Amino acid sequence: MMHRAVPLAALLLAVTLILSHAQELRVGEAFSNPCANVDTCGECIRTAKICAWCSAEKFPRFASRCDLYEHLKTTCPPESLSFPKSDLKVSQNDNVRGGDGTSQPVQVQPQIMDITARTNEAINFKLTFRQAENYPVDLYFLLDLSYTMVEEEEAQKRLIALGQEMPRSMDNITRDFNLGFGTFVDKTVMPYTAWTTQMLRDRCPLQDKSCRAPHDFINQLKLSKDGPAFAARMEKALKAVSQSFDDSEGGMDGLMQALACEGQIGWRQRSRRIIVYSSNSIFHLAGGGLMGGATKNNDGDCHINSEGSYSPDDINYDFPSVGQIANKLDEKSTSVIFAVMPSVVDHYDNLRALIGNAEVGRLSDKSSNIIELIRKNYDKLRSRIHFIPRRADGVDFKFKSKCLGNVVQETAMCDNLEIKDSVTFDVSMTVSSDVCQGRSGIVDRSIELAAQGLNEKMTINLRIICDCECERPEMAKLDSDNCDWGNGTFACGICSCNPGRYGRECECSEATISSKESLEQCRRGNDTEVCSGYGECICGECECFALGSDTARQYSGEHCQCNDYTCPRSKDDASLCGGPTRGKCNCGTCQCLEGWEGDACDCSTDNSTCIASNGLLCNQKGSCDCGRCRCNATLKYMGPTCEECPNCPSKCSQYRDCAQCKGFGTGKYNGDQCTDLCQEIIKEDELEEGNDLVFECNFRDTDKCLFRFTYEYDENNDVIIKVQRTKECPEDVNLALILGPVVAGIVLIPLLLLCIFILIRNRRDRAEFARFMKEKDKARWESAANPIYKDPKSTFKNPTYNKDSK
């Protein structure tokens, strides 16, 4: 088989492209590339928003043209890169506002968006709704005119009063409202109603036998602003009742005609449309008209004649189904209030759950609460906004809003809105790639986000990108040299082969080997994947993909089933099969060289390292495994050769120097010696004590401080040294504390003794002096008291002494 030489430019591009992205992801990385294994540009851009396509003519053969945009944007020429982007433009964005009589109210903003979208890409935008004041209301009453509904005079009065009070009541809601009403009984054929004049008269419950002829539905009054006409026409209609033969009535026929006949009923284009359906009976549904000969399926169209009556087609068409009613209510943006008697409330509750935008109210006896019931249920409908996508097949919408609260929740509906309240929805739109099935180019769609019960909506003019520009017919190159010298059409960088040719470049001929046979040859045994999923089948032979950015590494084997880079790695240095000196990886299995064994060839067959000092293998206290001793744990022997035990001499001296230099940077080893000769140690605040398998060591460091370390052995009998961070040093002598008391004792004690001596002597002297003074005083007293005492002194005068001559 011959192949053309690969151009140098393609080889250069192969180097710059990260060829391995798709292949690496196939190997099983945590991230799965959604762009892998995609064959065409259109399929590529539809797969995920992050996918791009490179249509460059010179492109590496085994590289994936469809890849992550982040990978291709720097390697694929910009003019060859297909990466369409979604775009959003608001075409009409009138601000929400109320009705002021001169302009129409606006409750939904924006009104029109133009979006160009890729499939599977979320497009986000905001949608605002505001409860407008004086919003137009069209209120249409659909009344059961059978005798059982209005048989009592009081009930008739209440319904007539309804016609008179309703215009005044609506003034409190909005200044822009229209009122109208219609009536229903049942189909005008047997067995539903009297089918002859005589039967009608005979079965009439009125005393004067004045029952009117039954009817299926009559539009009694078109919607208008004429309140008095509404009241008068309702009073007239209610005074002429009719009758039916069965419990069920034809109300669903009337409801369908009131919805379908927009012009005859008078519905306005922009208004809140509400039908008030009042009855005391259940209703016929699809299939119920067959007994009367109404064999045509209800078509949901308007069949009111010029007199406003559903006749004569009512006897031809069957009653509508619940699904038809629900679809018509949604299509016409209309809400229903079922004002019914208590006996049938449950029945209408079940109907409400199926048709959606409706409320059920319980009428009291004689319908005395009908005005309040209508007002209450109108408020429920008015205060609720619910957006519903229409014509959105294949397009998914997600809504989020806080409504009137503070918590964001996933919802398309908000309740309890008052007039002038505004709510904003965050909308996310995603187009499914299924929309593009069987289609090409740009697919145009028009989608509506309709406000349920309102004729207001946001319209999305959607343009869906289903394929690439390079796939257009005018971009194709017929009989291109890129397709094996003219054997195919070249477009978007790939070949569409002519009949009889196949292959990536149309290089294979059906005449040589069929494409079916080619694929069979490229499958391994019963494997369903071609080339094991890691290569490309070219004319019956597998060409294997590269394993990574290093294109020299590729899958191998006839069917690319081998990966020579997934063998076990050595526990020592994580090298494949222990490195080239120990083994070689062959199709995922290590082939070990002589002297090595094990899954990763990291187990030495040499047992010399297991010989103990006594010449015995592991001291006969264990077994030699991969050149390492596995000591018998029950014997409590350990160490590289199982020669150590709790009672054996320790090797503290052997490990002292390493513990010293690694722990404190001291000892006989300098920095380089410590690094070269010593293993790493573990520093701890406190060391384990009392474990027989942990040896404790204590030594004095150069600073005379005591340092402590332990050593133990792990499961591989490798030593583990743990050093206590802090040393135990003797405390420094405080000379001042010692000399101070000594000096104080030498100086102060003699002084203290001298003071004591002086004190004692002084006390003794004072005592003796006191005794002396006492004795003296005693002698003086005795001399004064003696009566015979004579003074021993004698005084004589000299007669010759002359004082003046002196």
Side-chain angles (χ1 to χ4, degrees), residues 516-532:
K516 182 178 180 181
E517 292 173 341
S518 173
L519 292 176
E520 288 178 352
Q521 290 186 18
C522 289
R523 291 191 180 98
R524 182 170 178 249
N526 294 325
D527 198 348
T528 57
E529 287 195 273
V530 175
C531 298
S532 304

Side-chain angles (χ1 to χ4, degrees), residues 2-7 477-490 495 498 501 505-508:
M2 298 181 62
H3 300 289
R4 291 177 294 156
V6 180
K477 297 179 181 179
L478 302 178
D479 302 325
S480 172
D481 288 343
N482 292 312
C483 302
D484 199 55
W485 311 111
N487 281 302
T489 299
F490 189 75
C495 291
N498 294 335
R501 307 291 296 190
E505 296 178 0
C506 306
E507 66 270 38
C508 304

Side-chain angles (χ1 to χ4, degrees), residues 567-672:
C567 287
R569 294 180 177 272
S570 171
K571 297 178 181 178
D572 297 332
D573 56 4
S575 59
L576 199 66
C577 295
T581 60
R582 297 185 182 183
K584 178 182 179 182
C585 184
N586 183 13
C587 204
T589 303
C590 286
Q591 293 181 343
C592 300
L593 300 179
E594 185 178 357
W596 297 94
E597 61 184 5
D599 292 340
C601 301
D602 55 357
C603 188
S604 174
T605 58
D606 181 16
N607 62 5
S608 61
T609 55
C610 294
I611 304 299
S613 59
N614 56 10
L616 299 176
L617 192 67
C618 296
N619 196 27
Q620 291 189 343
K621 299 297 188 294
S623 60
C624 187
D625 182 17
C626 292
R628 291 176 177 269
C629 284
R630 305 294 180 188
C631 301
N632 191 328
T634 59
L635 300 177
K636 293 188 178 181
Y637 274 84
M638 64 199 82
T641 54
C642 303
E643 294 183 83
E644 295 191 53
C645 66
N647 297 323
C648 298
S650 73
K651 293 186 178 181
C652 288
S653 297
Q654 179 179 334
Y655 301 124
R656 171 183 178 174
D657 295 328
C658 286
Q660 215 171 347
C661 75
K662 286 287 187 178
F664 307 103
T666 59
K668 70 177 184 179
Y669 290 156
N670 59 30
D672 293 338

